[in-house]
Amino acid sequence: MNTPQDSSLGREVAYPSHYDPALLFPIPRRAAREEIGVDEAHLPFVGHDRWQAYELSWLDRRGKPRVAVATVSVPCTSPNLIESKSFKLYLNSLNSTRFDDDEQARQRIAGDLSACAGAVVNVVFGVPPLVDGAEGESLDELDVAIERYGPPAPEYLSANAGQVVTETLSSALLKSNCPVTGQPDWASVSVRYRGPRIDREGLLRYLVSYREHAEFHEQCVERIFNEITQRCQPEWLEVEARYTRRGGLDINPWRASAGIEAPARTVREIRQ
């Protein structure tokens, strides 16, 4: 089984000069899901990991460079997530590769990523529109004292069973760390739900408790979804984190209760 420690993360590696899909490094999702009590065979959510790749280039059939921005959607049902540094190295390996046209390049990328993830990965070229902050009510100006920055503290989560609401709460204060390199990962997160009214101060304290936690982006979002579900018992729930860019890539995991449709459009926030 591949582990993060087996990947190129935290290691000095040569800049790829030739196309090489073997650079892509899959990490099985199963172990991280077992840690939070999620059964791989009966996932309590639907969702995807949406990547936005801003440093993408190849050559046309006559050797002239082409550039693009790609939106990549990996289904959460895929057995593997794609390790980010390997993704960057793979994209760099396309820089000197010739394709007959843009569609051939897109299909090659989609095919290679699908093979790594173990499921069909969707790839679209084009720059996502920019939005100014997450939707919903921001928690970030709440006047609260915070003293815990890790590990994640689900005991902060609670809800008022006597008050059922439908709302979206957001925060730009989510931070976690790469489990291999220790580098910080910054994100805005939105929590949309229907159910007992979630205590806002508790939710903010809970999100900030990820500040020194070491876990991949996708795994953090699944943990947030699972712990809000267990502690607050919403009728339905949707969690999305939009992480800032590193190495020309940003990752935007989205998880939701069964039956919730994916966001209608792909966007990027001002920090992305």
Side-chain angles (χ1 to χ4, degrees):
M1 178 182 292
N2 286 344
T3 68
Q5 288 70 28
D6 298 322
S7 74
S8 59
L9 271 174
R11 302 180 185 180
E12 184 175 344
V13 295
Y15 184 88
S17 57
H18 301 286
Y19 165 68
D20 186 1
L23 289 167
L24 290 166
F25 189 85
I27 297 178
R29 299 183 190 268
R30 181 181 299 274
R33 287 174 171 171
E34 288 177 349
E35 185 178 321
I36 59 173
V38 169
D39 182 356
E40 184 92 340
H42 302 90
L43 294 178
F45 45 69
V46 297
H48 59 237
D49 306 325
R50 176 172 52 81
W51 300 70
Q52 292 168 169
Y54 296 90
E55 299 175 7
L56 172 59
S57 183
W58 61 90
L59 304 178
D60 68 14
R61 69 175 68 184
R62 300 177 63 193
K64 181 181 177 181
R66 298 284 294 164
V67 296
V69 173
T71 297
V72 175
S73 182
V74 181
C76 73
T77 51
S78 66
N80 306 315
L81 59 84
I82 301 172
E83 189 276 310
S84 60
K85 185 173 181 179
S86 78
F87 195 173
K88 176 186 176 183
L89 291 171
Y90 163 75
L91 292 178
N92 285 335
S93 82
L94 298 170
N95 292 345
S96 299
T97 305
R98 297 191 183 208
F99 292 101
D100 290 339
D101 52 37
D102 293 355
E103 178 59 16
Q104 185 185 46
R106 189 198 66 79
Q107 290 183 8
R108 178 70 59 83
I109 295 168
D112 291 342
L113 296 177
S114 297
C116 181
V120 175
V121 172
N122 187 49
V123 177
V124 177
F125 290 163
V127 181
L130 191 65
V131 295
D132 187 9
E135 297 180 359
E137 178 183 344
S138 173
L139 305 175
D140 296 347
E141 299 305 317
L142 291 175
D143 185 15
V144 297
I146 299 178
E147 298 179 350
R148 182 163 175 177
Y149 306 105
E155 59 268 27
Y156 284 137
L157 294 169
S158 65
N160 182 353
Q163 187 178 9
V164 175
V165 298
T166 301
E167 63 181 358
T168 302
L169 305 175
S170 65
S171 174
L173 304 184
L174 180 63
K175 172 192 169 290
S176 55
N177 297 324
C178 172
V180 179
T181 66
Q183 293 185 36
D185 296 319
W186 307 91
S188 297
V189 60
S190 64
V191 176
R192 189 172 75 93
Y193 73 99
R194 175 173 173 78
R197 188 177 188 272
I198 295 176
D199 177 72
R200 285 156 169 70
E201 292 186 4
L203 178 58
L204 182 60
R205 288 190 174 99
Y206 168 70
L207 295 173
V208 172
S209 74
Y210 279 77
R211 195 167 182 83
E212 300 300 335
H213 179 60
E215 199 167 42
F216 288 124
H217 308 63
E218 301 93 331
Q219 296 163 351
C220 285
V221 171
E222 292 187 359
R223 185 182 294 272
I224 291 170
F225 181 95
N226 202 45
E227 293 181 341
I228 292 177
T229 296
Q230 292 176 350
R231 295 276 176 160
C232 301
Q233 298 293 306
E235 296 176 20
W236 53 260
L237 173 65
E238 182 178 5
V239 177
E240 182 177 29
R242 297 174 180 170
Y243 281 84
T244 58
R245 197 181 313 175
R246 182 188 295 167
L249 291 168
D250 62 47
I251 310 175
N252 306 267
W254 171 77
R255 300 292 185 270
S257 302
I260 300 296
E261 294 186 1
R265 63 176 186 147
T266 298
V267 298
R268 58 194 173 104
E269 290 192 1
I270 198 73
R271 293 199 296 171
Q272 296 179 308

